């Protein structure tokens, strides 16, 4: 598949957090989550630029999980 910029939607950090909430709630509690964000080479990063700040991403995800009382597997 060829990536076409006009066919893609870049998530905001808040949208990413909301998407993770949905995924984690749907994921059975016996499944280990290895990674919610990563450390890519910033020189090669095209988008989203917020993903380059791992601490900010993790803080936002933790805050969102806490505010929404997210529990892994609660929707399975």
């Amino acid at each position: 598949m060829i990536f076409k910029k006009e066919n893609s939607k870049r998530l905001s950090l808040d949208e990413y957090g909301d998407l993770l909430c949905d995924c984690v709630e749907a994921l059975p509690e016996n499944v280990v989550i290895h990674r919610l964000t990563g450390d890519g080479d910033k020189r090669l990063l095209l988008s989203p630029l917020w993903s380059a700040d791992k601490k900010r991403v993790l803080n936002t995800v933790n805050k969102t999980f806490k505010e929404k009382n997210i529990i892994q597997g609660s929707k399975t």
Side-chain angles (χ1 to χ4, degrees), residues 6-56:
E6 63 272 6
N7 294 335
S8 66
K9 179 185 185 314
R10 291 178 193 95
L11 296 176
S12 70
L13 180 53
D14 289 333
E15 290 172 320
Y16 179 70
D18 291 340
L19 180 62
L20 282 179
C21 289
D22 294 340
C23 293
V24 168
E25 285 181 317
L27 193 64
E29 63 182 42
N30 64 333
V31 174
V32 176
I33 300 171
H34 178 69
R35 181 176 302 191
L36 296 175
T37 188
D39 290 316
D41 186 338
K42 291 179 177 80
R43 296 173 299 159
L44 301 176
L45 179 64
L46 299 176
S47 184
L49 297 179
W50 54 258
S51 67
D53 187 349
K54 186 175 180 178
K55 185 179 277 190
R56 177 178 166 220

